[in-house]
Amino acid sequence: GPGRTARRGVGAVLALAVAVAVPTLDGYTTYREARPPDQVHTFAAGQTATFKHVSWQVGVEVVDNIPNARPIPADRQWLKIRITRVAVDQEGIIRRVPPDVEVRAPDGRIWKVEPLDDDLPLEAKDYRIGAPYHYNMVSMVPRALSSQVEVYLRPNPARMIEGESVQDMFKRTAKEEELKDNVLRFRR
């Protein structure tokens, strides 16, 4: 009767839902195994975070405009972000690939951070251990959240070794187990 037909229809819909979900769940598991969840290390406002041979410090300034930038909507706010990087030893100089940076609101929303300029030496030989170098960056966030968003900095674990052949570099990076799963969270 009609009840049996309805049950069959519901059963078919459930079977379809399960069939669609299984590859997705499997794909998520594979992704998680390849890329573990982030390990977030939290630091107080103004605190220096030393991690993997490099010290980091973050400053955030709320500004009304950025030179040469287009006007922004009234409900948006510019943030100028200045990141100070100090190599604490030779290994800190080798790990000089720029970090990935973003700002996050307490509710989990994320905004991109764009680089403006930096004063990092182009050559490793010009770097000095203990000397501060800076990345100047900007982000645009909702005005209502401009004092709440926090900076999340993901140090790049890549090592740039002078004079290393491309072949040796590929061999080394294939062996390096270190993943980009560490994130430094700077409170405001």
Side-chain angles (χ1 to χ4, degrees), residues 25-39:
L25 285 171
D26 186 48
Y28 179 77
T29 305
T30 306
Y31 170 80
R32 270 292 162 222
E33 284 166 8
R35 175 82 196 244
D38 285 339
Q39 297 178 47

Side-chain angles (χ1 to χ4, degrees), residues 97-112:
V97 176
D100 294 326
V101 182
E102 62 191 23
V103 291
R104 296 185 195 176
D107 65 10
R109 284 185 290 165
I110 297 172
W111 290 271
K112 282 176 41 173

Side-chain angles (χ1 to χ4, degrees), residues 8 95 180:
R8 247 190 224 149
R95 296 170 185 260
K180 291 170 68 173

